[in-house]
Amino acid sequence: MSKNNKNNPYQNAMSQLTKTAKILKLDKAVLVKLQHPQRILKAKLTVKMDNGQTKKFDAYRVQYNNARGPFKGGIRYHKQVSMDEVKALSFWMTIKTAVVNIPMGGGKGGIIIDPHTLSQTELERLSRAYMKAFYKYLGPSQDVPAPDVYTTSQIMDWMADEYAKLTGKKQPGVITGKSIAAGGSLGRDTATADGGFYVLKAIANKLKLKPKQTRIIIQGFGNAGANFAQLAYKAGFKIVGLSDSKNAIYDPAGKGFNYNLVKSIKAKGDAVTVCKINDLKCQKLYHTTNEKLLEKDCDVLVLAALENQVTEKNAKRIKAKVIIELANGPVTPLADKILAEKNLVVAPDVLANAGGVTVSYFEWLQNIKKQKWSKAKVKSKLKPIMDKAFIQVWQTAKKYKTDLRTAAFILAVERLAKAMKK
Ligand code: NAD
């Protein structure tokens, strides 16, 4: 790990921990434990390609901390996966499960691969190879993976099936984010957006922002961002900016996009195509770049794409009053300082996107108890958990006169320290 890389996610995660430890005057032994993952697993996966040749892929699983329950966290397939990224994400999972107070710990996994370059059969062999490499360390009461960027319910199903073959026992609770037919939970697809939306409503309530007068920009239009856009639109918020990896659109008039447009962007997944289809409506819309979109005038900026989007370079130019982090690590610690000086409220990832892991926990519970919950039941159980976590984080911020991220870390580290001492 380079010493001075300001955007190294693991260094960022550790600087957040150090800041929290100082405020709490944390026991040295607890701090040292929290500065290191409990176990790091690495493998070179050998996969047979469709052309008969074999290729090797680097794969990781980091089991950060299980003081509060089994390790829990997704598996990412991306060409930029690195050990430091997986370590950071597994640490944030440890904090996140503690913030929403579910009996789970933190872990994360990844493979260095651009999955779009593989056929379905190659993807299946790669996913089964990942399970073969690590299955001895996984299990419903040990470590429970889930999907993350570019991993799907189909991939989770293959992994659950491989685990059953290797252990000789069907145990759907080994992995979450499965298809409904393979034991997945209803409501998991929208859970991250649902949780983030409860946080938006709670903040709007505290800051007295009325939906009709609140302009929202959303970066990233995948599972988290697109579902959030729909919820916000239906509740009357004005969605004035949207982007995906290739395009960004912004409505400078501040009236907000119409529902059909938002819906069709979700279906097409490409903002420019949608603008062409909706030609008349889109004449009003101005195309912009992903970078500029973040700096446009709005009240709430929702970051639902990748890490390191708001840094010390652009933080000064952010005009929003509130940032909701649906992505993991989209605001760097240096940017956090600048945003705090501007009195901007940041709803941190470890709170704002925790709806996803909470419903993953519900899926695990249903599998263990051999139950099937309705979507309504899942939603009715998620809301009080998110509302309670928000209030606790808000009150902790008031008590320590600090920002919401530091408050969330304080709350989580206190819970972790208590569990670790036991
Ligand atoms: P996804 O793969 O469904 O969608 C990602 C979206 O981001 C796509 O629309 C893509 O086009 C867009 N994107 C990529 N690079 C971009 C860029 N530079 N600018 C603008 N848009 C860009 O992924 P997702 O599941 O929605 O996850 C998004 C983020 O939320 C990730 O950081 C993920 O770790 C985090 N997250 C997701 C969940 C979940 O349940 N889906 C839970 C917790 C956290």
Side-chain angles (χ1 to χ4, degrees):
M1 176 164 77
S2 89
K3 273 196 178 149
N4 297 313
N5 183 352
K6 281 181 276 194
N7 292 335
N8 177 306
Y10 191 55
Q11 285 179 354
N12 290 348
M14 289 302 101
S15 82
Q16 292 163 344
L17 174 63
T18 310
K19 184 176 171 188
T20 310
K22 269 190 201 148
I23 296 171
L24 284 176
K25 297 188 177 64
L26 191 65
D27 183 303
K28 189 84 204 282
V30 173
L31 175 61
V32 171
K33 275 198 173 173
L34 282 176
Q35 282 168 329
H36 299 95
Q38 285 176 224
R39 185 184 277 140
I40 291 178
L41 302 165
K42 286 190 217 178
K44 278 239 182 259
L45 307 181
T46 306
V47 179
K48 196 171 173 204
M49 308 309 280
D50 290 346
N51 64 8
Q53 291 178 346
T54 55
K55 267 195 184 172
K56 289 190 185 295
F57 299 92
D58 287 304
Y60 310 114
R61 183 75 190 163
V62 175
Q63 299 183 324
Y64 207 95
N65 188 289
N66 66 352
R68 302 184 64 262
F71 303 105
K72 182 92 196 79
I75 303 169
R76 181 173 291 198
Y77 286 7
H78 199 282
K79 55 186 180 215
Q80 277 160 11
V81 162
S82 69
M83 179 52 97
D84 274 351
E85 182 187 58
V86 180
K87 276 162 70 180
L89 290 165
S90 65
F91 171 74
W92 286 325
M93 285 304 298
T94 306
I95 297 292
K96 198 180 298 181
T97 51
V99 169
V100 282
N101 214 2
I102 55 174
M104 291 274 169
K108 203 85 184 186
I111 305 181
I112 305 178
I113 174 70
D114 175 359
H116 303 110
T117 61
L118 299 184
S119 70
Q120 278 297 100
T121 45
E122 288 167 342
L123 198 58
E124 176 172 356
R125 286 195 288 271
L126 178 77
S127 305
R128 289 182 183 277
Y130 185 93
M131 188 47 96
K132 256 182 220 146
F134 300 131
Y135 80 97
K136 284 187 183 145
Y137 301 93
L138 307 177
S141 55
Q142 267 182 285
D143 183 353
V144 186
D148 191 67
V149 177
Y150 297 148
T151 44
T152 58
S153 55
Q154 172 65 79
I155 291 174
M156 299 304 111
D157 290 358
W158 287 327
M159 288 190 178
D161 180 63
E162 191 63 30
Y163 186 80
K165 280 185 188 157
L166 291 162
T167 57
K169 196 174 161 203
K170 204 173 164 206
Q171 295 180 79
V174 65
I175 205 158
T176 60
K178 302 177 294 293
S179 66
I180 304 298
S185 178
L186 290 168
R188 175 63 188 89
D189 48 350
T190 60
T192 302
D194 285 331
F197 186 62
Y198 296 139
V199 170
L200 168 69
K201 285 215 290 199
I203 290 184
N205 192 23
K206 291 280 180 200
L207 303 185
K208 306 204 179 348
L209 298 174
K210 295 207 173 83
K212 278 189 181 150
Q213 284 132 34
T214 304
R215 295 157 306 151
I216 304 185
I217 288 176
I218 303 172
Q219 183 202 36
F221 216 64
N223 174 283
N227 285 312
F228 186 94
Q230 291 211 323
L231 290 167
Y233 181 87
K234 280 188 186 162
F237 289 91
K238 302 276 174 228
I239 297 164
V240 297
L242 292 169
S243 69
D244 55 25
S245 61
K246 296 190 188 83
N247 314 288
I249 50 175
Y250 176 68
D251 170 16
K255 285 190 179 161
F257 301 136
N258 67 51
Y259 180 63
N260 289 336
L261 181 62
V262 171
K263 218 166 55 171
S264 53
I265 289 176
K266 192 186 169 209
K268 297 277 166 193
D270 175 342
V272 161
T273 314
V274 171
C275 278
K276 280 183 193 151
I277 295 168
N278 291 259
D279 201 28
L280 283 176
K281 287 164 204 144
C282 287
Q283 282 175 7
K284 287 186 276 183
L285 306 181
Y286 291 2
H287 290 209
T288 180
T289 63
N290 271 328
E291 276 177 9
K292 284 191 188 146
L293 181 68
L294 305 187
E295 299 170 15
K296 296 280 183 197
D297 201 13
C298 69
D299 302 295
V300 178
L301 175 61
V302 179
L303 299 171
L306 299 170
E307 294 102 85
N308 298 333
Q309 297 302 301
V310 179
T311 67
E312 77 282 7
K313 288 188 185 138
N314 61 357
K316 271 195 191 128
R317 296 191 296 274
I318 301 291
K319 297 191 185 67
K321 301 182 188 87
V322 176
I323 288 182
I324 308 273
E325 291 187 330
L326 288 188
N328 288 307
V331 176
T332 64
L334 284 177
D336 254 341
K337 275 189 194 159
I338 299 168
L339 300 176
E341 280 161 16
K342 285 160 58 121
N343 280 330
L344 198 150
V345 176
V346 180
D349 45 9
V350 290
L351 169 68
N353 71 29
V357 72
T358 304
V359 175
S360 276
Y361 160 62
F362 294 163
E363 178 177 335
W364 175 82
L365 263 186
Q366 290 170 72
N367 294 157
I368 305 264
K369 294 182 173 181
K370 297 192 177 9
Q371 293 176 349
K372 282 261 175 214
W373 299 356
S374 68
K375 199 173 201 167
K377 181 168 175 176
V378 169
K379 288 204 182 220
S380 73
K381 282 182 170 286
L382 174 63
K383 189 170 186 312
I385 290 180
M386 293 303 301
D387 287 347
K388 190 170 176 187
F390 174 81
I391 288 292
Q392 289 175 333
V393 170
W394 190 268
Q395 287 170 346
T396 307
K398 292 279 166 258
K399 182 175 162 192
Y400 287 89
K401 295 188 175 45
T402 189
D403 56 275
L404 296 182
R405 187 187 317 282
T406 310
F409 270 66
I410 291 172
L411 194 66
V413 169
E414 278 179 335
R415 286 176 180 159
L416 281 158
K418 206 168 152 196
M420 284 157 80
K421 279 181 187 155
K422 266 190 195 165

